[in-house]
Amino acid sequence: QQQVKQSPQSLIVQKGGISIINCAYENTAFDYFPWYQQFPGKGPALLIAIRPDVSEKKEGRFTISFNKSAKQFSLHIMDSQPGDSATYFCAASRGGNYQLIWGAGTKLIIKP
Amino acid sequence: DTAVSQTPKYLVTQMGNDKSIKCEQNLGHDTMYWYKQDSKKFLKIMFSYNNKELIINETVPNRFSPKSPDKAHLNLHINSLELGDSAVYFCASSQDFSGNTIYFGEGSWLTVV
C-alpha cells in the first residue's frame, strides 16, 4: 500500500521527441505527487508537483498528468533535449507527519 | 550560498573504520533528512529530524547514528564500516515534515574498501 511503482527503469528518446515516465500507487490517502530530477553527481531537485484536485499541471516543457481513478500519474517531457538527460523520480505522500514515498527512478537519455 | 551543504564529498575508507558526514542547511528549515542512494539509484530514507527531534528511523543498522546539535545541522556517524555501506549519502531539508519540496545536498560518496 505504501509503494510507488515507477516505469520504465530506463528510457532513450531522440532529441525533440516526447519522454513519458509513469508511476502508479495504491494508497488513496496520498495527496501530493512530486517529480524530482537528478543530474549525475548532484542531489535530486524538485521539478514539478501536483495535487489530486487537478488532472494536469504544466510547467514549460514538463507536464504531469494525473489519473485519480486509475491511481496513476505520469511525467511528460515535450521536445526533449540532451540537457534533460537525468534520472527522474516520482514520489507520493499523504501530508502531515508522513514521509515521502519514492519511486525507483528512471534513467532518461536524450540522444542528439 | 549553498542551501544544503555536506562534507566530505568523497570518502574512501577501510572496513571497520568509523567515519562521520556533516550536514548544514541555511534555509531556516525545521526538518532534515539523511537518504542513502545505492548503485541502482534507489533512494532510501534513513532518518528524519524535526526541530532536532528524531521523527523517522527506518530499518538501518544501529552502526548508523544521526546527531542534530541544532535544527540547522544533522550529522551522520557510521561505526564499523562494512563493504555494503558503500553508497552515496544525501542530506536534505524541508520547511516542515509535510513533505513539500525537499532540498538535497550534493551527496557524499562513501567507498568502503
Side-chain angles (χ1 to χ4, degrees), chain A residues 9 32 36 38 40-46 51 87 89 93-100 102-104, chain B residues 9 35 37 40-43 45 50 55-56 58 90 97-107 109:
Chain A
Q9 193 173 11
Y32 176 67
Y36 279 75
Q38 183 181 23
K42 302 291 185 183
L46 180 66
R51 294 198 181 270
T87 299
F89 293 93
S93 77
R94 56 183 290 189
N97 286 335
Y98 293 94
Q99 61 172 302
L100 208 54
W102 295 83
Chain B
K9 189 170 177 72
Y35 279 85
Q37 187 170 48
K40 294 185 178 179
K41 298 293 190 183
F42 189 72
L43 272 172
I45 191 165
N50 192 55
I55 300 296
I56 290 176
E58 289 293 315
F90 286 101
F97 199 62
S98 65
N100 292 355
T101 313
I102 297 177
Y103 294 82
F104 285 82
E106 295 212 331
W109 269 253

mmCIF file of all heavy atoms in Angstrom, chain A residues 9 32 36 38 40-46 51 87 89 93-100 102-104, chain B residues 9 35 37 40-43 45 50 55-56 58 90 97-107 109:
data_model
loop_
_atom_site.group_PDB
_atom_site.id
_atom_site.type_symbol
_atom_site.label_atom_id
_atom_site.label_comp_id
_atom_site.label_asym_id
_atom_site.label_seq_id
_atom_site.Cartn_x
_atom_site.Cartn_y
_atom_site.Cartn_z
ATOM 1 N N GLN A 9 12.417 1.629 -16.212
ATOM 2 C CA GLN A 9 13.653 1.798 -15.441
ATOM 3 C C GLN A 9 14.624 2.699 -16.187
ATOM 4 O O GLN A 9 15.356 3.474 -15.587
ATOM 5 C CB GLN A 9 14.268 0.428 -15.201
ATOM 6 C CG GLN A 9 15.365 0.408 -14.171
ATOM 7 C CD GLN A 9 15.808 -1.020 -13.870
ATOM 8 O OE1 GLN A 9 15.435 -1.968 -14.576
ATOM 9 N NE2 GLN A 9 16.598 -1.197 -12.839
ATOM 10 N N TYR A 32 -0.200 14.282 -2.533
ATOM 11 C CA TYR A 32 0.857 15.143 -3.077
ATOM 12 C C TYR A 32 1.789 14.265 -3.892
ATOM 13 O O TYR A 32 2.267 13.235 -3.403
ATOM 14 C CB TYR A 32 1.598 15.824 -1.918
ATOM 15 C CG TYR A 32 2.781 16.669 -2.338
ATOM 16 C CD1 TYR A 32 2.614 17.832 -3.079
ATOM 17 C CD2 TYR A 32 4.075 16.305 -1.970
ATOM 18 C CE1 TYR A 32 3.697 18.605 -3.452
ATOM 19 C CE2 TYR A 32 5.162 17.075 -2.340
ATOM 20 C CZ TYR A 32 4.965 18.220 -3.079
ATOM 21 O OH TYR A 32 6.047 18.987 -3.447
ATOM 22 N N TYR A 36 11.021 14.548 -9.072
ATOM 23 C CA TYR A 36 12.345 15.100 -8.830
ATOM 24 C C TYR A 36 13.260 14.708 -9.988
ATOM 25 O O TYR A 36 13.126 13.629 -10.571
ATOM 26 C CB TYR A 36 12.921 14.567 -7.512
ATOM 27 C CG TYR A 36 12.400 15.297 -6.292
ATOM 28 C CD1 TYR A 36 11.115 15.070 -5.812
ATOM 29 C CD2 TYR A 36 13.205 16.217 -5.615
ATOM 30 C CE1 TYR A 36 10.631 15.737 -4.708
ATOM 31 C CE2 TYR A 36 12.728 16.892 -4.498
ATOM 32 C CZ TYR A 36 11.444 16.651 -4.051
ATOM 33 O OH TYR A 36 10.972 17.318 -2.952
ATOM 34 N N GLN A 38 17.336 14.365 -11.119
ATOM 35 C CA GLN A 38 18.690 14.241 -10.565
ATOM 36 C C GLN A 38 19.700 14.115 -11.690
ATOM 37 O O GLN A 38 19.681 13.147 -12.462
ATOM 38 C CB GLN A 38 18.806 13.021 -9.641
ATOM 39 C CG GLN A 38 20.174 12.899 -8.981
ATOM 40 C CD GLN A 38 20.284 11.678 -8.102
ATOM 41 O OE1 GLN A 38 19.571 10.696 -8.261
ATOM 42 N NE2 GLN A 38 21.192 11.727 -7.137
ATOM 43 N N PRO A 40 23.724 13.647 -12.927
ATOM 44 C CA PRO A 40 24.868 12.893 -12.378
ATOM 45 C C PRO A 40 25.719 13.753 -11.462
ATOM 46 O O PRO A 40 26.032 14.908 -11.784
ATOM 47 C CB PRO A 40 25.643 12.496 -13.649
ATOM 48 C CG PRO A 40 24.612 12.453 -14.717
ATOM 49 C CD PRO A 40 23.642 13.547 -14.391
ATOM 50 N N GLY A 41 26.037 13.214 -10.316
ATOM 51 C CA GLY A 41 26.895 13.926 -9.373
ATOM 52 C C GLY A 41 26.183 14.969 -8.539
ATOM 53 O O GLY A 41 26.836 15.695 -7.773
ATOM 54 N N LYS A 42 24.874 15.055 -8.653
ATOM 55 C CA LYS A 42 24.106 16.045 -7.905
ATOM 56 C C LYS A 42 23.006 15.367 -7.100
ATOM 57 O O LYS A 42 22.671 14.211 -7.323
ATOM 58 C CB LYS A 42 23.465 17.061 -8.857
ATOM 59 C CG LYS A 42 24.452 17.808 -9.730
ATOM 60 C CD LYS A 42 25.316 18.754 -8.926
ATOM 61 C CE LYS A 42 26.217 19.583 -9.817
ATOM 62 N NZ LYS A 42 27.109 20.462 -9.025
ATOM 63 N N GLY A 43 22.432 16.119 -6.185
ATOM 64 C CA GLY A 43 21.280 15.611 -5.469
ATOM 65 C C GLY A 43 20.004 15.837 -6.263
ATOM 66 O O GLY A 43 19.956 16.683 -7.158
ATOM 67 N N PRO A 44 18.951 15.077 -5.964
ATOM 68 C CA PRO A 44 17.664 15.307 -6.645
ATOM 69 C C PRO A 44 17.145 16.720 -6.350
ATOM 70 O O PRO A 44 17.412 17.284 -5.287
ATOM 71 C CB PRO A 44 16.744 14.253 -6.015
ATOM 72 C CG PRO A 44 17.665 13.228 -5.431
ATOM 73 C CD PRO A 44 18.888 13.975 -5.009
ATOM 74 N N ALA A 45 16.398 17.261 -7.301
ATOM 75 C CA ALA A 45 15.794 18.583 -7.129
ATOM 76 C C ALA A 45 14.356 18.527 -7.621
ATOM 77 O O ALA A 45 14.067 17.882 -8.642
ATOM 78 C CB ALA A 45 16.587 19.640 -7.893
ATOM 79 N N LEU A 46 13.475 19.214 -6.898
ATOM 80 C CA LEU A 46 12.069 19.215 -7.282
ATOM 81 C C LEU A 46 11.897 19.813 -8.669
ATOM 82 O O LEU A 46 12.384 20.903 -8.957
ATOM 83 C CB LEU A 46 11.245 20.006 -6.272
ATOM 84 C CG LEU A 46 9.744 20.079 -6.569
ATOM 85 C CD1 LEU A 46 9.102 18.712 -6.457
ATOM 86 C CD2 LEU A 46 9.066 21.081 -5.636
ATOM 87 N N ARG A 51 -1.279 18.068 -7.071
ATOM 88 C CA ARG A 51 -2.199 17.549 -6.057
ATOM 89 C C ARG A 51 -3.415 16.988 -6.779
ATOM 90 O O ARG A 51 -3.718 17.400 -7.894
ATOM 91 C CB ARG A 51 -2.597 18.651 -5.070
ATOM 92 C CG ARG A 51 -1.402 19.123 -4.246
ATOM 93 C CD ARG A 51 -1.805 19.866 -3.005
ATOM 94 N NE ARG A 51 -0.627 20.311 -2.272
ATOM 95 C CZ ARG A 51 -0.028 19.586 -1.322
ATOM 96 N NH1 ARG A 51 -0.488 18.397 -1.025
ATOM 97 N NH2 ARG A 51 1.025 20.060 -0.691
ATOM 98 N N THR A 87 18.220 11.321 -14.137
ATOM 99 C CA THR A 87 17.350 10.323 -13.511
ATOM 100 C C THR A 87 16.162 11.042 -12.909
ATOM 101 O O THR A 87 16.321 12.058 -12.236
ATOM 102 C CB THR A 87 18.111 9.537 -12.433
ATOM 103 O OG1 THR A 87 19.216 8.858 -13.032
ATOM 104 C CG2 THR A 87 17.192 8.493 -11.785
ATOM 105 N N PHE A 89 12.653 10.835 -10.579
ATOM 106 C CA PHE A 89 11.978 10.099 -9.522
ATOM 107 C C PHE A 89 10.569 10.655 -9.335
ATOM 108 O O PHE A 89 10.393 11.870 -9.207
ATOM 109 C CB PHE A 89 12.717 10.240 -8.188
ATOM 110 C CG PHE A 89 14.066 9.602 -8.148
ATOM 111 C CD1 PHE A 89 15.206 10.335 -8.460
ATOM 112 C CD2 PHE A 89 14.212 8.275 -7.782
ATOM 113 C CE1 PHE A 89 16.461 9.758 -8.421
ATOM 114 C CE2 PHE A 89 15.464 7.681 -7.731
ATOM 115 C CZ PHE A 89 16.594 8.422 -8.051
ATOM 116 N N SER A 93 3.055 11.418 -1.172
ATOM 117 C CA SER A 93 2.919 11.498 0.277
ATOM 118 C C SER A 93 1.487 11.852 0.618
ATOM 119 O O SER A 93 0.716 12.301 -0.237
ATOM 120 C CB SER A 93 3.880 12.527 0.875
ATOM 121 O OG SER A 93 3.411 13.837 0.674
ATOM 122 N N ARG A 94 1.145 11.667 1.873
ATOM 123 C CA ARG A 94 -0.197 11.993 2.319
ATOM 124 C C ARG A 94 -0.209 13.204 3.229
ATOM 125 O O ARG A 94 -1.162 13.465 3.896
ATOM 126 C CB ARG A 94 -0.846 10.790 2.995
ATOM 127 C CG ARG A 94 -0.069 10.213 4.148
ATOM 128 C CD ARG A 94 -0.749 8.993 4.716
ATOM 129 N NE ARG A 94 -1.980 9.349 5.420
ATOM 130 C CZ ARG A 94 -2.687 8.499 6.167
ATOM 131 N NH1 ARG A 94 -2.274 7.251 6.285
ATOM 132 N NH2 ARG A 94 -3.789 8.874 6.774
ATOM 133 N N GLY A 95 0.888 13.945 3.231
ATOM 134 C CA GLY A 95 0.924 15.161 4.012
ATOM 135 C C GLY A 95 0.991 14.871 5.499
ATOM 136 O O GLY A 95 1.083 13.724 5.929
ATOM 137 N N GLY A 96 0.944 15.924 6.288
ATOM 138 C CA GLY A 96 1.039 15.756 7.733
ATOM 139 C C GLY A 96 2.378 15.158 8.092
ATOM 140 O O GLY A 96 3.390 15.423 7.460
ATOM 141 N N ASN A 97 2.412 14.347 9.087
ATOM 142 C CA ASN A 97 3.671 13.751 9.518
ATOM 143 C C ASN A 97 3.947 12.420 8.833
ATOM 144 O O ASN A 97 4.271 11.426 9.467
ATOM 145 C CB ASN A 97 3.667 13.566 11.032
ATOM 146 C CG ASN A 97 3.842 14.887 11.744
ATOM 147 O OD1 ASN A 97 4.404 15.830 11.189
ATOM 148 N ND2 ASN A 97 3.356 14.962 12.952
ATOM 149 N N TYR A 98 3.796 12.409 7.518
ATOM 150 C CA TYR A 98 4.063 11.188 6.767
ATOM 151 C C TYR A 98 5.165 11.443 5.763
ATOM 152 O O TYR A 98 5.204 12.466 5.108
ATOM 153 C CB TYR A 98 2.803 10.704 6.055
ATOM 154 C CG TYR A 98 1.736 10.239 7.019
ATOM 155 C CD1 TYR A 98 0.753 11.106 7.448
ATOM 156 C CD2 TYR A 98 1.752 8.950 7.511
ATOM 157 C CE1 TYR A 98 -0.209 10.696 8.347
ATOM 158 C CE2 TYR A 98 0.786 8.523 8.409
ATOM 159 C CZ TYR A 98 -0.183 9.400 8.828
ATOM 160 O OH TYR A 98 -1.135 8.996 9.711
ATOM 161 N N GLN A 99 6.052 10.491 5.646
ATOM 162 C CA GLN A 99 7.205 10.672 4.785
ATOM 163 C C GLN A 99 6.829 10.519 3.321
ATOM 164 O O GLN A 99 5.818 9.927 2.975
ATOM 165 C CB GLN A 99 8.287 9.651 5.137
ATOM 166 C CG GLN A 99 7.837 8.211 4.955
ATOM 167 C CD GLN A 99 8.981 7.230 5.132
ATOM 168 O OE1 GLN A 99 9.976 7.324 4.423
ATOM 169 N NE2 GLN A 99 8.834 6.303 6.057
ATOM 170 N N LEU A 100 7.688 11.059 2.483
ATOM 171 C CA LEU A 100 7.557 10.927 1.039
ATOM 172 C C LEU A 100 7.932 9.492 0.660
ATOM 173 O O LEU A 100 8.931 8.961 1.127
ATOM 174 C CB LEU A 100 8.511 11.919 0.381
ATOM 175 C CG LEU A 100 8.209 12.491 -0.983
ATOM 176 C CD1 LEU A 100 6.834 13.116 -1.041
ATOM 177 C CD2 LEU A 100 9.274 13.506 -1.354
ATOM 178 N N TRP A 102 9.094 7.126 -2.385
ATOM 179 C CA TRP A 102 9.779 7.354 -3.650
ATOM 180 C C TRP A 102 9.611 6.177 -4.611
ATOM 181 O O TRP A 102 9.620 5.014 -4.200
ATOM 182 C CB TRP A 102 11.279 7.557 -3.412
ATOM 183 C CG TRP A 102 11.591 8.786 -2.630
ATOM 184 C CD1 TRP A 102 11.557 8.930 -1.279
ATOM 185 C CD2 TRP A 102 11.973 10.059 -3.163
ATOM 186 N NE1 TRP A 102 11.894 10.219 -0.933
ATOM 187 C CE2 TRP A 102 12.164 10.930 -2.072
ATOM 188 C CE3 TRP A 102 12.182 10.548 -4.456
ATOM 189 C CZ2 TRP A 102 12.542 12.261 -2.229
ATOM 190 C CZ3 TRP A 102 12.575 11.869 -4.610
ATOM 191 C CH2 TRP A 102 12.741 12.703 -3.507
ATOM 192 N N GLY A 103 9.503 6.507 -5.911
ATOM 193 C CA GLY A 103 9.626 5.503 -6.946
ATOM 194 C C GLY A 103 11.092 5.117 -7.112
ATOM 195 O O GLY A 103 11.975 5.744 -6.530
ATOM 196 N N ALA A 104 11.331 4.092 -7.928
ATOM 197 C CA ALA A 104 12.685 3.542 -8.069
ATOM 198 C C ALA A 104 13.564 4.345 -9.019
ATOM 199 O O ALA A 104 14.766 4.088 -9.103
ATOM 200 C CB ALA A 104 12.610 2.094 -8.534
ATOM 201 N N LYS B 9 32.705 15.388 0.401
ATOM 202 C CA LYS B 9 32.016 14.968 -0.816
ATOM 203 C C LYS B 9 32.434 13.548 -1.205
ATOM 204 O O LYS B 9 31.643 12.781 -1.717
ATOM 205 C CB LYS B 9 32.319 15.925 -1.967
ATOM 206 C CG LYS B 9 31.464 15.668 -3.214
ATOM 207 C CD LYS B 9 31.624 16.772 -4.236
ATOM 208 C CE LYS B 9 30.843 16.471 -5.498
ATOM 209 N NZ LYS B 9 29.375 16.618 -5.294
ATOM 210 N N TYR B 35 19.390 10.428 3.452
ATOM 211 C CA TYR B 35 18.997 9.418 2.483
ATOM 212 C C TYR B 35 20.226 8.644 2.042
ATOM 213 O O TYR B 35 21.319 9.203 1.979
ATOM 214 C CB TYR B 35 18.387 10.069 1.223
ATOM 215 C CG TYR B 35 16.946 10.476 1.336
ATOM 216 C CD1 TYR B 35 16.584 11.701 1.879
ATOM 217 C CD2 TYR B 35 15.936 9.649 0.855
ATOM 218 C CE1 TYR B 35 15.249 12.079 1.962
ATOM 219 C CE2 TYR B 35 14.596 10.023 0.928
ATOM 220 C CZ TYR B 35 14.271 11.238 1.478
ATOM 221 O OH TYR B 35 12.954 11.614 1.545
ATOM 222 N N GLN B 37 21.582 6.419 -1.277
ATOM 223 C CA GLN B 37 21.310 6.041 -2.673
ATOM 224 C C GLN B 37 22.313 4.983 -3.092
ATOM 225 O O GLN B 37 23.514 5.233 -3.086
ATOM 226 C CB GLN B 37 21.385 7.257 -3.603
ATOM 227 C CG GLN B 37 20.938 6.932 -5.034
ATOM 228 C CD GLN B 37 20.790 8.178 -5.887
ATOM 229 O OE1 GLN B 37 21.655 9.046 -5.921
ATOM 230 N NE2 GLN B 37 19.681 8.273 -6.610
ATOM 231 N N LYS B 40 22.079 1.303 -7.763
ATOM 232 C CA LYS B 40 20.955 1.258 -8.701
ATOM 233 C C LYS B 40 20.119 2.527 -8.628
ATOM 234 O O LYS B 40 19.044 2.601 -9.220
ATOM 235 C CB LYS B 40 20.071 0.039 -8.424
ATOM 236 C CG LYS B 40 20.786 -1.270 -8.694
ATOM 237 C CD LYS B 40 19.857 -2.453 -8.518
ATOM 238 C CE LYS B 40 20.589 -3.741 -8.838
ATOM 239 N NZ LYS B 40 19.735 -4.926 -8.659
ATOM 240 N N LYS B 41 20.621 3.511 -7.930
ATOM 241 C CA LYS B 41 19.995 4.828 -7.835
ATOM 242 C C LYS B 41 18.767 4.867 -6.936
ATOM 243 O O LYS B 41 18.094 5.880 -6.868
ATOM 244 C CB LYS B 41 19.600 5.385 -9.228
ATOM 245 C CG LYS B 41 20.773 5.593 -10.145
ATOM 246 C CD LYS B 41 21.668 6.704 -9.638
ATOM 247 C CE LYS B 41 22.718 7.084 -10.656
ATOM 248 N NZ LYS B 41 23.626 8.110 -10.141
ATOM 249 N N PHE B 42 18.443 3.767 -6.263
ATOM 250 C CA PHE B 42 17.264 3.773 -5.411
ATOM 251 C C PHE B 42 17.502 4.650 -4.201
ATOM 252 O O PHE B 42 18.521 4.526 -3.521
ATOM 253 C CB PHE B 42 16.913 2.350 -4.987
ATOM 254 C CG PHE B 42 15.594 2.257 -4.289
ATOM 255 C CD1 PHE B 42 14.414 2.412 -4.997
ATOM 256 C CD2 PHE B 42 15.530 2.032 -2.934
ATOM 257 C CE1 PHE B 42 13.192 2.344 -4.359
ATOM 258 C CE2 PHE B 42 14.307 1.968 -2.285
ATOM 259 C CZ PHE B 42 13.142 2.119 -2.992
ATOM 260 N N LEU B 43 16.552 5.550 -3.914
ATOM 261 C CA LEU B 43 16.649 6.468 -2.781
ATOM 262 C C LEU B 43 15.942 5.874 -1.574
ATOM 263 O O LEU B 43 14.760 5.588 -1.617
ATOM 264 C CB LEU B 43 15.981 7.796 -3.130
ATOM 265 C CG LEU B 43 16.804 8.870 -3.795
ATOM 266 C CD1 LEU B 43 15.906 10.013 -4.231
ATOM 267 C CD2 LEU B 43 17.908 9.383 -2.890
ATOM 268 N N ILE B 45 15.166 6.508 2.515
ATOM 269 C CA ILE B 45 15.290 7.390 3.664
ATOM 270 C C ILE B 45 15.863 6.610 4.839
ATOM 271 O O ILE B 45 15.516 5.451 5.066
ATOM 272 C CB ILE B 45 13.951 8.052 4.024
ATOM 273 C CG1 ILE B 45 14.165 9.155 5.051
ATOM 274 C CG2 ILE B 45 12.930 7.019 4.498
ATOM 275 C CD1 ILE B 45 13.011 10.091 5.220
ATOM 276 N N ASN B 50 12.959 16.550 13.053
ATOM 277 C CA ASN B 50 12.152 17.754 13.003
ATOM 278 C C ASN B 50 12.446 18.563 14.260
ATOM 279 O O ASN B 50 12.204 18.098 15.371
ATOM 280 C CB ASN B 50 10.663 17.408 12.909
ATOM 281 C CG ASN B 50 9.830 18.625 12.567
ATOM 282 O OD1 ASN B 50 10.069 19.297 11.572
ATOM 283 N ND2 ASN B 50 8.845 18.918 13.382
ATOM 284 N N ILE B 55 12.284 11.862 14.030
ATOM 285 C CA ILE B 55 10.920 11.570 13.602
ATOM 286 C C ILE B 55 10.853 10.216 12.895
ATOM 287 O O ILE B 55 9.953 9.431 13.110
ATOM 288 C CB ILE B 55 10.403 12.668 12.646
ATOM 289 C CG1 ILE B 55 10.406 14.025 13.333
ATOM 290 C CG2 ILE B 55 9.019 12.328 12.121
ATOM 291 C CD1 ILE B 55 9.462 14.115 14.498
ATOM 292 N N ILE B 56 11.808 10.004 11.987
ATOM 293 C CA ILE B 56 11.843 8.751 11.234
ATOM 294 C C ILE B 56 13.164 8.067 11.517
ATOM 295 O O ILE B 56 14.215 8.682 11.453
ATOM 296 C CB ILE B 56 11.723 8.999 9.716
ATOM 297 C CG1 ILE B 56 10.329 9.481 9.365
ATOM 298 C CG2 ILE B 56 12.036 7.715 8.935
ATOM 299 C CD1 ILE B 56 10.187 9.835 7.897
ATOM 300 N N GLU B 58 14.300 4.641 10.007
ATOM 301 C CA GLU B 58 13.988 3.451 9.231
ATOM 302 C C GLU B 58 14.877 2.286 9.669
ATOM 303 O O GLU B 58 15.766 2.460 10.506
ATOM 304 C CB GLU B 58 14.169 3.735 7.733
ATOM 305 C CG GLU B 58 13.108 4.654 7.169
ATOM 306 C CD GLU B 58 11.732 4.026 7.173
ATOM 307 O OE1 GLU B 58 11.594 2.846 6.790
ATOM 308 O OE2 GLU B 58 10.778 4.711 7.564
ATOM 309 N N PHE B 90 22.885 11.293 0.998
ATOM 310 C CA PHE B 90 22.386 12.645 0.777
ATOM 311 C C PHE B 90 21.754 13.185 2.046
ATOM 312 O O PHE B 90 20.903 12.536 2.667
ATOM 313 C CB PHE B 90 21.321 12.660 -0.329
ATOM 314 C CG PHE B 90 21.865 12.499 -1.713
ATOM 315 C CD1 PHE B 90 21.801 11.272 -2.351
ATOM 316 C CD2 PHE B 90 22.446 13.571 -2.377
ATOM 317 C CE1 PHE B 90 22.316 11.113 -3.637
ATOM 318 C CE2 PHE B 90 22.951 13.422 -3.665
ATOM 319 C CZ PHE B 90 22.890 12.195 -4.286
ATOM 320 N N PHE B 97 7.562 18.915 8.080
ATOM 321 C CA PHE B 97 7.504 17.490 7.796
ATOM 322 C C PHE B 97 6.357 17.120 6.874
ATOM 323 O O PHE B 97 6.034 15.958 6.708
ATOM 324 C CB PHE B 97 7.415 16.701 9.108
ATOM 325 C CG PHE B 97 7.795 15.267 8.942
ATOM 326 C CD1 PHE B 97 9.061 14.923 8.536
ATOM 327 C CD2 PHE B 97 6.869 14.261 9.159
ATOM 328 C CE1 PHE B 97 9.408 13.606 8.353
ATOM 329 C CE2 PHE B 97 7.203 12.933 8.995
ATOM 330 C CZ PHE B 97 8.476 12.600 8.586
ATOM 331 N N SER B 98 5.759 18.125 6.240
ATOM 332 C CA SER B 98 4.652 17.797 5.341
ATOM 333 C C SER B 98 5.134 17.144 4.048
ATOM 334 O O SER B 98 4.348 16.614 3.281
ATOM 335 C CB SER B 98 3.876 19.065 4.996
ATOM 336 O OG SER B 98 4.707 19.935 4.247
ATOM 337 N N GLY B 99 6.444 17.169 3.828
ATOM 338 C CA GLY B 99 6.998 16.511 2.646
ATOM 339 C C GLY B 99 7.095 17.397 1.434
ATOM 340 O O GLY B 99 7.664 17.016 0.422
ATOM 341 N N ASN B 100 6.545 18.602 1.491
ATOM 342 C CA ASN B 100 6.631 19.500 0.353
ATOM 343 C C ASN B 100 8.054 19.966 0.144
ATOM 344 O O ASN B 100 8.719 20.351 1.088
ATOM 345 C CB ASN B 100 5.730 20.720 0.576
ATOM 346 C CG ASN B 100 4.271 20.344 0.555
ATOM 347 O OD1 ASN B 100 3.931 19.203 0.285
ATOM 348 N ND2 ASN B 100 3.432 21.292 0.844
ATOM 349 N N THR B 101 8.501 19.931 -1.071
ATOM 350 C CA THR B 101 9.799 20.426 -1.518
ATOM 351 C C THR B 101 10.942 20.092 -0.570
ATOM 352 O O THR B 101 11.218 20.825 0.382
ATOM 353 C CB THR B 101 9.786 21.943 -1.773
ATOM 354 O OG1 THR B 101 8.642 22.280 -2.539
ATOM 355 C CG2 THR B 101 11.028 22.327 -2.563
ATOM 356 N N ILE B 102 11.581 19.012 -0.862
ATOM 357 C CA ILE B 102 12.770 18.597 -0.143
ATOM 358 C C ILE B 102 13.979 19.096 -0.917
ATOM 359 O O ILE B 102 14.084 18.895 -2.119
ATOM 360 C CB ILE B 102 12.806 17.071 0.019
ATOM 361 C CG1 ILE B 102 11.615 16.616 0.874
ATOM 362 C CG2 ILE B 102 14.113 16.633 0.652
ATOM 363 C CD1 ILE B 102 11.512 15.116 1.033
ATOM 364 N N TYR B 103 14.875 19.751 -0.219
ATOM 365 C CA TYR B 103 16.102 20.277 -0.828
ATOM 366 C C TYR B 103 17.251 19.350 -0.436
ATOM 367 O O TYR B 103 17.489 19.136 0.751
ATOM 368 C CB TYR B 103 16.385 21.698 -0.326
ATOM 369 C CG TYR B 103 15.355 22.705 -0.763
ATOM 370 C CD1 TYR B 103 14.155 22.845 -0.071
ATOM 371 C CD2 TYR B 103 15.572 23.524 -1.876
ATOM 372 C CE1 TYR B 103 13.197 23.758 -0.473
ATOM 373 C CE2 TYR B 103 14.620 24.448 -2.280
ATOM 374 C CZ TYR B 103 13.434 24.551 -1.578
ATOM 375 O OH TYR B 103 12.483 25.456 -1.990
ATOM 376 N N PHE B 104 17.934 18.847 -1.460
ATOM 377 C CA PHE B 104 19.014 17.899 -1.234
ATOM 378 C C PHE B 104 20.372 18.573 -1.324
ATOM 379 O O PHE B 104 20.573 19.525 -2.091
ATOM 380 C CB PHE B 104 18.976 16.778 -2.276
ATOM 381 C CG PHE B 104 17.879 15.774 -2.043
ATOM 382 C CD1 PHE B 104 16.582 16.029 -2.471
ATOM 383 C CD2 PHE B 104 18.147 14.575 -1.404
ATOM 384 C CE1 PHE B 104 15.566 15.104 -2.256
ATOM 385 C CE2 PHE B 104 17.144 13.640 -1.195
ATOM 386 C CZ PHE B 104 15.847 13.911 -1.621
ATOM 387 N N GLY B 105 21.315 18.056 -0.558
ATOM 388 C CA GLY B 105 22.708 18.414 -0.747
ATOM 389 C C GLY B 105 23.260 17.683 -1.957
ATOM 390 O O GLY B 105 22.542 16.940 -2.638
ATOM 391 N N GLU B 106 24.531 17.876 -2.227
ATOM 392 C CA GLU B 106 25.136 17.285 -3.423
ATOM 393 C C GLU B 106 25.620 15.856 -3.209
ATOM 394 O O GLU B 106 26.071 15.220 -4.149
ATOM 395 C CB GLU B 106 26.276 18.170 -3.919
ATOM 396 C CG GLU B 106 25.790 19.536 -4.383
ATOM 397 C CD GLU B 106 26.616 20.104 -5.509
ATOM 398 O OE1 GLU B 106 27.827 19.791 -5.590
ATOM 399 O OE2 GLU B 106 26.069 20.891 -6.319
ATOM 400 N N GLY B 107 25.517 15.381 -2.010
ATOM 401 C CA GLY B 107 25.847 13.985 -1.762
ATOM 402 C C GLY B 107 27.263 13.774 -1.248
ATOM 403 O O GLY B 107 28.163 14.582 -1.510
ATOM 404 N N TRP B 109 29.990 10.701 -1.388
ATOM 405 C CA TRP B 109 30.284 9.394 -1.972
ATOM 406 C C TRP B 109 31.161 8.611 -1.021
ATOM 407 O O TRP B 109 32.336 8.919 -0.846
ATOM 408 C CB TRP B 109 31.000 9.595 -3.306
ATOM 409 C CG TRP B 109 30.118 9.678 -4.490
ATOM 410 C CD1 TRP B 109 29.940 8.755 -5.464
ATOM 411 C CD2 TRP B 109 29.264 10.771 -4.854
ATOM 412 N NE1 TRP B 109 29.049 9.192 -6.402
ATOM 413 C CE2 TRP B 109 28.616 10.427 -6.054
ATOM 414 C CE3 TRP B 109 28.988 12.020 -4.269
ATOM 415 C CZ2 TRP B 109 27.705 11.263 -6.684
ATOM 416 C CZ3 TRP B 109 28.082 12.859 -4.891
ATOM 417 C CH2 TRP B 109 27.446 12.475 -6.073
#
